[in-house]
Amino acid sequence: AISEGEILGYLYSKGIKPDGVQTLDKDMVKMVCNEYEVEVIDADPVKVEEMAKKKEILDEDDLDKLQDRPPVLTIMGHVDHGKTTLLDAIRKSKVAASEAGGITQGIGAYKVLVPIDGKSQPCVFLDTPGHEAFGAMRARGARVTDIVIIVVAADDGIRPQTNEAIVHAKAAGVPIVIAINKIDKDGANPERVMQELSSIGLMPEDWGGDIPMVQISALKGQNIDDLLETVMLVAELQELKANPDRNAKGTVIEAGLHKSKGPVATFIVQNGTLKRGDVVVCGEAFGKMRALFDDSGNRVDEAGPSIPVQVIGLNNVPIAGDEFEVVASLDVARQKAVACAELLRNERMSAKAGDGKVTLSSLA
Ligand code: GTP
Ligand code: MG
């Protein structure tokens, strides 16, 4: 609730003049939070992992009804290292070939079929706008991504956003696969990238470590299949399961207000199956799902585990990282949404009043 200008003003008063894109170090963050009496939670990877476990998406009831679900993958990396080109390469070689009419990217997530051992295996990619949401979700302990693919340009090496992506993935306890990109370029030096990565603790499998690294050219479509196979192998080891035969729950990955459709949200279903007509509550928003759209913008009747789906029918725009769940009736949904709104209001008020002790979790 504090404006960027105010925080900058405070930093200036302390003789710190951030240049706009500068990252504040831990001590500076603590100092700012102290000034505004905001509780600081150290995003210690172990703690975040514990939080994620607490919000375990599977219940005991699910255990004897589990079925395999597709992996959810996020591509991250430094600006211009080729994330979008890699997504395009994957889409062209796989989606366009397997789905009539190719894909129109309606939402920031889509399903791709990868041929493994003669069978088509589905996997779900979260697009890079998900980058921001990923941070927000991690802060809330939500774990949506099963694997992070980090793209590093072979002619440029590790850069600030590469590091950021590594920190994100490690903190969330998500396995990393490295795509060393642009190997077709003059000046490409994949070995140097591997050296840089090993010097920060990511030892390539080829050198006896545990991080798979695949050398690719996203532009020329070189080794893309290798990369996908590697990713699917890592996914297999995770034994990803869910119970499709229950009420859906999952996480909001993006949301906004559409001119004619009203509030629109993209969900990733993490357990159960979401159906048209279901009543959903997510954060302060709730409503009956009037329509569901798949990643090509086609209307669908339902979406199972790992599947991204765009929904209309919510009364409000939720926030990326909010969890959603299907409830029995609109009354129940309204009550839950009001309770959530009340909690948030209390939290904001107590933050303003300087009583930083009351938190969402202590009230819940
Ligand atoms: P942002 O979205 O801005 O963060 O960048 P990005 O990571 O999505 O990079 P993008 O895919 O837009 O690629 C940046 C530039 O690198 C483009 O000009 C691409 O054509 C080029 N590029 C991407 N992959 C390759 C590659 O494998 N080889 C070569 N030679 N160029 C590539
Ligand atoms: Mg891009």
Side-chain angles (χ1 to χ4, degrees), residues 78-85 181-182 184-185 217-219:
H78 196 72
V79 177
D80 273 355
H81 278 197
K83 299 176 294 291
T84 302
T85 310
N181 189 30
K182 307 198 188 184
D184 61 289
K185 257 183 116 171
S217 167
L219 194 65

Side-chain angles (χ1 to χ4, degrees), residues 177-257:
V177 172
I178 303 281
I180 301 177
N181 189 30
K182 307 198 188 184
I183 54 166
D184 61 289
K185 257 183 116 171
D186 285 342
N189 191 346
E191 290 268 317
R192 203 199 60 202
V193 174
M194 287 160 79
Q195 252 148 26
E196 284 178 0
L197 288 164
S198 53
S199 75
I200 57 166
L202 299 182
M203 186 60 76
E205 265 181 353
D206 285 354
W207 296 357
D210 57 359
I211 307 291
M213 300 191 185
V214 184
Q215 299 185 17
I216 63 164
S217 167
L219 194 65
K220 309 254 183 229
Q222 206 179 328
N223 294 349
I224 303 299
D225 287 349
D226 280 0
L227 176 67
L228 291 175
E229 252 168 58
T230 303
V231 167
M232 292 308 272
L233 277 176
V234 174
E236 232 164 74
L237 292 175
Q238 287 185 282
E239 298 185 15
L240 304 166
K241 310 244 184 229
N243 170 13
D245 190 22
R246 55 161 284 163
N247 281 344
K249 57 179 174 173
T251 301
V252 178
I253 56 168
E254 56 187 18
L257 197 58

Side-chain angles (χ1 to χ4, degrees), residues 254-265 312 314-318:
E254 56 187 18
L257 197 58
H258 189 273
K259 259 184 266 154
S260 54
K261 290 179 186 165
V264 174
I312 53 178
L314 291 171
N315 67 337
N316 258 316
V317 180

Side-chain angles (χ1 to χ4, degrees), residues 328-342:
S329 68
L330 276 170
D331 279 344
V332 175
R334 191 175 295 112
Q335 280 164 21
K336 286 204 173 202
V338 167
C340 176
E342 187 74 11

Side-chain angles (χ1 to χ4, degrees), residues 21-214:
V21 292
Q22 185 184 332
T23 307
L24 300 183
D25 68 25
K26 219 183 219 181
D27 289 334
M28 288 189 206
V29 171
K30 281 186 180 156
M31 190 176 83
V32 172
C33 290
N34 231 355
E35 172 70 15
Y36 294 101
E37 293 171 334
V38 172
E39 189 190 2
V40 184
I41 299 168
D42 208 334
D44 170 355
V46 180
K47 273 193 208 146
V48 174
E49 179 74 346
E50 276 169 13
M51 270 166 67
K53 277 202 188 119
K54 267 189 218 148
K55 293 198 178 171
E56 206 42 271
I57 227 82
L58 301 177
D59 298 335
E60 250 174 56
D61 296 351
D62 294 328
L63 294 182
D64 51 353
K65 297 180 203 138
L66 293 179
Q67 292 183 25
D68 290 342
R69 64 169 180 83
V72 179
L73 318 164
T74 304
I75 299 182
M76 301 176 101
H78 196 72
V79 177
D80 273 355
H81 278 197
K83 299 176 294 291
T84 302
T85 310
L86 173 59
L87 287 165
D88 285 347
I90 291 168
R91 260 190 318 216
K92 251 179 249 145
S93 62
K94 303 299 170 204
V95 181
S98 64
E99 276 181 7
I103 206 153
T104 331
Q105 200 185 314
I107 57 183
Y110 54 91
K111 199 171 95 181
V112 176
L113 294 174
V114 184
I116 300 269
D117 301 334
K119 272 192 294 180
S120 275
Q121 306 255 27
C123 56
V124 171
F125 281 86
L126 295 192
D127 206 352
T128 14
H131 195 104
E132 234 173 83
F134 192 67
M137 285 183 235
R138 182 162 72 80
R140 291 148 183 253
R143 204 184 128 166
V144 172
T145 303
D146 300 307
I147 296 171
V148 172
I149 302 172
I150 298 176
V151 179
V152 191
D155 62 338
D156 201 20
I158 297 182
R159 300 292 305 279
Q161 277 175 274
T162 320
N163 273 316
E164 211 175 278
I166 294 168
V167 169
H168 270 311
K170 281 193 168 173
V174 177
I176 294 172
V177 172
I178 303 281
I180 301 177
N181 189 30
K182 307 198 188 184
I183 54 166
D184 61 289
K185 257 183 116 171
D186 285 342
N189 191 346
E191 290 268 317
R192 203 199 60 202
V193 174
M194 287 160 79
Q195 252 148 26
E196 284 178 0
L197 288 164
S198 53
S199 75
I200 57 166
L202 299 182
M203 186 60 76
E205 265 181 353
D206 285 354
W207 296 357
D210 57 359
I211 307 291
M213 300 191 185
V214 184

